[in-house]
């Protein structure tokens, strides 16, 4: 299974989601590969500052032939997570075409909702060549006890073919603190609310694929 974490808008927490998604899957016993397909190479930088043994492999593949090159590599893993590039349509299209499921992180902001339309359009274009491709939204960096998280879910409902995952990821300091050490939240504090949210998000992502297979 190949999961692309993508949004044409930058600054939505794409790398944070990709890294923690990969770590949570690896902790659950999956063989995981994280592909850094962003020229900024944030996931590779995260991996380079890590002192502990790696939970999963991380490689850089920020190139427009990703969708042709990745399938052979992916055969050696249970799950591949792609940290996609923002604002680069050529790389974004390649990452989407390489994916079985595109997870679109969206912050509770009207700017993010407006930008989501671009990513949805790229998915629709890719479905012309890959009809089985699916997408889901994940609300990220939600501020606790605010209505804006509910509002963004309602706004995203206009993209009828792209469901919003029930679990939202809160705006929590632990994400930045763990990243600075090359860790995921499930390693830094397995009992934290952030770790529980990521575990729930992973379960929902995997359930989406099971439903598709059925």
């Amino acid at each position: 299974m190949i999961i692309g974490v993508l949004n044409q808008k930058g600054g939505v927490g794409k790398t944070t989601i990709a890294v923690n998604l990969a770590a949570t899957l690896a902790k659950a016993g999956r063989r995981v590969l994280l592909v850094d397909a962003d020229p900024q190479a944030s996931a590779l930088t995260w991996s380079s500052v890590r002192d502990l043994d790696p939970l999963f492999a991380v490689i850089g593949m920020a190139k427009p032939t990703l969708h042709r090159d990745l399938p052979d590599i992916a055969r050696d893993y249970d799950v591949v997570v792609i940290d996609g590039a923002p604002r680069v349509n050529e790389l974004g299209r390649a990452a989407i075409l390489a994916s079985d499921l595109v997870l679109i992180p969206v912050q509770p902001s009207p700017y993010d909702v407006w930008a989501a339309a671009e990513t949805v359009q790229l998915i629709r274009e890719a479905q012309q060549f890959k009809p089985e491709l699916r997408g889901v939204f994940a609300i990220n960096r939600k501020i606790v006890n605010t209505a804006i998280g509910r509002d963004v879910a309602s706004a995203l409902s206009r993209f009828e073919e792209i469901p919003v995952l029930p679990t939202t990821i809160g705006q929590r300091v632990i994400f930045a603190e763990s990243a600075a050490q090359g860790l995921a939240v499930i390693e830094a504090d397995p009992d934290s609310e952030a770790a529980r949210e990521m575990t729930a998000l992973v379960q929902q992502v995997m359930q989406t694929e099971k439903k598709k297979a059925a």
Side-chain angles (χ1 to χ4, degrees), residues 178-197:
S178 58
Q181 303 172 65
L183 298 174
V185 293
I186 200 166
E187 299 175 280
D189 188 350
D191 296 321
S192 66
E193 193 62 33
R196 283 193 285 270
E197 288 172 352

Side-chain angles (χ1 to χ4, degrees), residues 4-43:
V5 183
L6 290 139
N7 193 319
Q8 289 297 289
K9 181 179 179 296
V12 297
K14 190 172 47 58
T15 300
T16 298
I17 293 284
V19 163
N20 282 281
L21 192 69
T24 304
L25 284 162
K27 279 285 193 180
R30 307 288 184 119
R31 292 171 299 162
V32 180
L33 172 67
L34 177 60
V35 176
D36 193 333
D38 186 343
Q40 293 180 0
S42 298

Side-chain angles (χ1 to χ4, degrees), residues 131-153:
E132 71 277 13
L133 176 66
R134 296 291 178 268
V136 291
F137 289 114
I139 298 173
N140 190 35
R141 294 176 177 161
K142 179 186 175 184
I143 300 171
V144 180
N145 298 324
T146 61
I148 195 167
R150 295 190 297 274
D151 292 345
V152 73

Side-chain angles (χ1 to χ4, degrees), residues 97-147:
L97 282 169
S99 301
D100 300 309
L101 177 73
V102 178
L103 190 155
I104 310 167
V106 180
Q107 296 179 115
S109 154
Y111 302 106
D112 281 52
V113 174
W114 298 333
E118 295 181 47
T119 308
V120 172
Q121 183 56 37
L122 287 177
I123 292 173
R124 287 169 177 164
E125 290 171 7
Q127 285 171 331
Q128 308 276 335
F129 308 97
K130 195 172 183 179
E132 71 277 13
L133 176 66
R134 296 291 178 268
V136 291
F137 289 114
I139 298 173
N140 190 35
R141 294 176 177 161
K142 179 186 175 184
I143 300 171
V144 180
N145 298 324
T146 61

